[in-house]
Amino acid sequence: MLVKTFGAAVSGIDALVVTMEVNITPGIRFSIVGLPDSAVKESEQRIESAIHENKWRYPMQKIVINMAPADIRKEGSAYDLPLAVGVLAASGQCPTDMLDRYMIMGELQLDGALRPVKGVLPMALKAKADGFEGFVLPQDNAKEAAVVSGLKVYGAKTLKDVVGFLSGENVLQQAIVDVDAEFGRAEMEQTLDFAEVKGQENVKRALEIAAAGGHNILLIGSPGSGKSMMAKRLPSILPPLTMDEALEATKIHSVAGNIGGDRGLMTVRPFRSPHHTISDVALVGGGSYPQPGEISLAHNGVLFLDELPEFKRSVLEVMRQPLEDRKIVISRSKFSVEYPASFMLVASMNPCPCGYYNHPDRQCTCGEGQVRKYLGRISGPLLDRIDLHVEVVPVPIGKLNEAPTGEPSHVIRQRVIAARAIQSKRFAGVKGVYNNAQMTPKLLNIYAHPDAQGQQIMKMAMDRLGLSARAYERILKVARTIADLDNSESVTSRHIAEAIQYRSLDRDTWGN
């Protein structure tokens, strides 16, 4: 008897439907065709054990399974459940009338219990797009798939539950997610606040500008000056995720297997902080079967690189193209995978090997040229791609207790949201541009052209600081954001002057 069950394969952050054709005929061989990997081939033992443990009859006949389309590689153990259901249906132990209405995915344990799988959200979106009525999957994945409205999602604990559901003998509880409640809970979970940061008003201003325009920022300061503390509070002033952004971020983390059973939708912007020993593959993604790296896991959020010069040069250099293109394409001999990588880069570093160059109280012990050599660990092209370079001067211990409580994050966030709203309206008709940091040169000429005095200041800065063309564009983008925070239609000399001061490392005096 020939039956068909339906599952999905994930490529990048999208899915495609996989049809599993199970045919049982006289004979004694079990075979799977259609480019299965080792984990899929090993499903025979898990399926046989699960069927025996639940007192069904395992057909001692020739079982041929074709996984179509046959030219797409099938990976992982997530096909155990649809294959087991197919074997039971083809042997007459499970009804077939509901199989064409539901997508089924899940990993089997030897006793028939179901284990969670990766990439559920892209599968659920594909199931809805292709007209499936529902999705049957492990209970731990149900909340993640239930984010997709218009699709009936049923979580099961065992193979027996699934067969009972398909037979009409067992009722599975439909998973339902209140998306508004999820976003509300995320707001309540914010714990870090800029109100806890005393002093450092210039740095907080720079972080506000970075958040308002989606700009990359580098914080340079001595140990203990508060670089990491402020960077970790940046997500508290970023605008909330839109539904589209939340779905896109959740798809990436779903593919990576980072979505737990208690969380169906990512409602807080990602904040990723890899250690400086990370490899280039772990940072940008890759592997034999490419998985998203840290730059993709930080999509629509923040990638924080602490102690930037300590990262290997090769690791930092692979970020140059994703910083421009906001995506990463991982190519292999037979296929390529594209992952989105639109993130805010926030980096911190000491100004020199000893850490006390330009410190107000402590003497730098570095020899001549060591400061420039330390900065030289970061290439010029990478520094050009960082919009704001901000020097962080430590607040004296004696003044910490006297300093007033800082402005709370929710107040700063409202200004950021207002500036982002201006940008959303401005770029409403431009594909792929959502904030000032993403402006093309053409858009810069339209929206960030400075007034006459501003142009004069820019010309002086270019001559004195020896700025590159890319740095020139970055200054204009930052100036446009400052103007948006001021609710100003035009970019004035004041906005240009403030933007230029956030290019500390472009000055010839630095380190000399």
Side-chain angles (χ1 to χ4, degrees), residues 13-14 119-126 128 143-149 177 179 183 240-255 259 264-270 296 299-300 340:
I13 62 169
D14 296 312
V120 164
L121 182 58
M123 296 176 191
L125 290 167
K126 184 61 176 176
K128 180 186 176 183
K143 193 171 182 181
E144 178 184 341
V147 168
V148 181
S149 61
V177 172
V179 174
F183 276 99
L241 286 168
T242 64
M243 188 59 189
D244 287 343
E245 287 177 329
L247 282 173
E248 199 169 41
T250 306
K251 284 168 70 176
I252 298 170
H253 285 258
S254 175
V255 169
I259 304 295
L265 182 70
M266 290 193 65
T267 51
V268 177
R269 292 189 181 273
S296 295
H299 180 64
N300 290 330

Side-chain angles (χ1 to χ4, degrees), residues 31 58 86 113 127 170 221:
S31 58
Y58 187 79
N170 182 32

Side-chain angles (χ1 to χ4, degrees), residues 468-488:
S468 67
R470 184 178 282 116
Y472 175 83
E473 289 184 355
R474 300 283 169 170
I475 289 172
L476 288 181
K477 290 177 181 180
V478 172
R480 179 65 266 177
T481 300
I482 297 169
D484 289 341
L485 286 167
D486 281 352
N487 199 20
S488 171

Side-chain angles (χ1 to χ4, degrees), residues 69-90:
D71 59 342
I72 301 296
R73 188 170 182 82
K74 321 304 184 302
E75 305 169 12
S77 55
Y79 300 101
D80 290 357
L81 181 58
L83 292 177
V85 170
V87 169
L88 290 171

Side-chain angles (χ1 to χ4, degrees), residues 11 28 65 97 99 189 200 228 234 250 294 348 372 411 437 465 474 480 503:
S11 177
I28 57 173
I65 300 172
D97 56 323
L99 293 182
E189 290 176 353
Q200 305 291 15
S228 299
L234 181 61
T250 306
E294 290 292 336
S348 70
R372 297 297 299 181
V411 175
L465 302 179
R474 300 283 169 170
R480 179 65 266 177
R503 300 293 300 185

